[in-house]
Amino acid sequence: MASIPDDLIRRLQGARHLVIFTGAGVSAESGIPTFRDAQTGLWAKYRPEELASPEGFRAAPQTVWDWYAWRREWCLAVQPNPAHLAIAELERRLPRVTLITQNVDGLHQRAGSRAPLELHGSIHRLKCFKCRRDVGDWPADASDIPVCECGGLLRPAVVWFGESLPEAVLDAAAGASQDADLFLSVGTSSLVYPAAELPFLSKRCGAFVVEINPQPTPLSARADLCLQGAAGEVMGRLIGSGWGNQRIRQ
Ligand code: BJW
Ligand code: ZN
């Protein structure tokens, strides 16, 4: 695994505004499959256009509902891993950290992160497919699709292909990316837009952009630094050298 350059530790120590941008790779070490990794990714077994799209839900609502009910149970059964914990620790150590996640699994919050910007929503909440109203939690018995007061079917409050991201969340994420002086992109393939635009936006606005991923991505050639490795290991090393204590003593 790549070693952590001293320069990056210095940049962390001095960061005015750190943005951490995460994808499915951050939860891989918790046992949640990524979307696009060839052997284990969710899309290796299912076609996204059939399951993660409004058209898919319209065509086979119960199939889509069952897929999400199964994935939600999985998210609840696993634990945050060292990557989630290291990110929450960075939030405690540094004066200003914005966490932007594409993940819908809720593991950042369970690791202690305060208010992640959930670009693609949350699998733990429901909304109405027809009137779009947020309706909160899942029912105790999730075998049948619940129905809204308006008569529409309920669905998980995630962002499917072809749907707009929540405007206020995307605006906040773009604003933070523009303001950041240090930007960490962790465990994302950088393929899904508009989220994938954020590290590029941050770089154009002057941030030092670091990618943490075992594989190269379309961001790699433009990042200032690529740390090849698993998120838990790399993030663990990032916080592991005791520099936070030095900062507090300053
Ligand atoms: C590790 C690791 C370890 C492994 N440690 N790393 C511009 C160009 C082309 C297309 C478009 C474009 N703009 C919009 C589009 C269309 C589309 C899109 O981007 N398509 C691309 C696939 C080509 N975008 C949309 O449709 C978006 N909506 C939109 O643009 O609306 C516009 C609009 C305008 C006006 C009216 C209406 C609409 C919405 C995108 C929604 C994405 N939704 C999903 C599903 C969420 C719900 C669910 O969970 O089921 O979000 S798709 C899926 O991909 C999920 C993820 O959040 C997202 C990103 O994936 P992620 O996190 O990067 O995972 P992977 O699997 O791709 O990568 C994992 C990485 O981890 C890999 O790199 C591994 O190497 C690494 N890894 N182990 C660290 N241990
Ligand atoms: Zn409704």
Side-chain angles (χ1 to χ4, degrees), residues 86-107:
I87 289 166
E89 174 62 20
L90 283 172
E91 290 181 30
R92 286 188 288 271
R93 277 190 202 178
L94 294 176
R96 181 138 192 237
V97 178
T98 302
L99 174 58
I100 305 169
T101 188
Q102 298 166 85
N103 298 344
V104 301
D105 55 34
L107 287 175

Side-chain angles (χ1 to χ4, degrees), residues 57-91:
F57 188 71
R58 225 172 263 121
Q62 189 69 46
T63 303
V64 174
W65 175 262
D66 290 345
W67 188 59
Y68 277 98
W70 166 70
R71 284 180 52 206
R72 175 175 167 266
E73 289 297 329
W74 196 335
C75 294
L76 291 172
V78 301
Q79 298 302 321
N81 69 55
H84 299 107
L85 297 170
I87 289 166
E89 174 62 20
L90 283 172
E91 290 181 30

Side-chain angles (χ1 to χ4, degrees), residues 42-232:
L42 282 173
W43 303 148
K45 299 192 187 89
Y46 304 94
R47 287 161 55 84
E49 59 274 26
E50 280 175 15
L51 296 169
S53 71
E55 295 75 24
F57 188 71
R58 225 172 263 121
Q62 189 69 46
T63 303
V64 174
W65 175 262
D66 290 345
W67 188 59
Y68 277 98
W70 166 70
R71 284 180 52 206
R72 175 175 167 266
E73 289 297 329
W74 196 335
C75 294
L76 291 172
V78 301
Q79 298 302 321
N81 69 55
H84 299 107
L85 297 170
I87 289 166
E89 174 62 20
L90 283 172
E91 290 181 30
R92 286 188 288 271
R93 277 190 202 178
L94 294 176
R96 181 138 192 237
V97 178
T98 302
L99 174 58
I100 305 169
T101 188
Q102 298 166 85
N103 298 344
V104 301
D105 55 34
L107 287 175
H108 281 304
Q109 291 91 328
R110 286 172 56 199
S113 283
R114 281 188 297 270
L117 297 171
E118 294 180 305
L119 285 177
H120 294 161
S122 169
I123 201 168
H124 300 294
R125 297 191 302 270
L126 296 175
K127 64 183 182 186
C128 175
F129 187 60
K130 190 173 170 193
C131 72
R132 295 167 193 266
R133 199 167 60 91
D134 284 321
V135 291
D137 297 337
W138 285 61
D141 178 2
S143 38
D144 294 319
I145 310 176
V147 177
C148 177
E149 286 168 6
C150 79
L153 295 178
L154 300 190
R155 52 161 282 188
V158 298
V159 180
W160 283 331
F161 284 111
E163 293 186 320
S164 301
L165 277 61
E167 202 179 328
V169 178
L170 183 58
D171 282 352
S177 302
Q178 287 170 308
D179 184 59
D181 53 352
L182 183 57
F183 188 107
L184 306 184
S185 172
V186 192
T188 174
S189 59
S190 293
L191 288 173
V192 175
Y193 281 79
E197 178 59 26
L198 294 172
F200 296 98
L201 172 67
S202 197
K203 183 155 174 62
R204 284 200 299 278
C205 294
F208 187 85
V209 174
V210 181
E211 178 175 67
I212 297 167
N213 198 311
Q215 304 294 333
T217 77
L219 173 64
S220 308
R222 297 271 305 280
D224 296 291
L225 175 67
C226 294
L227 296 174
Q228 211 171 3

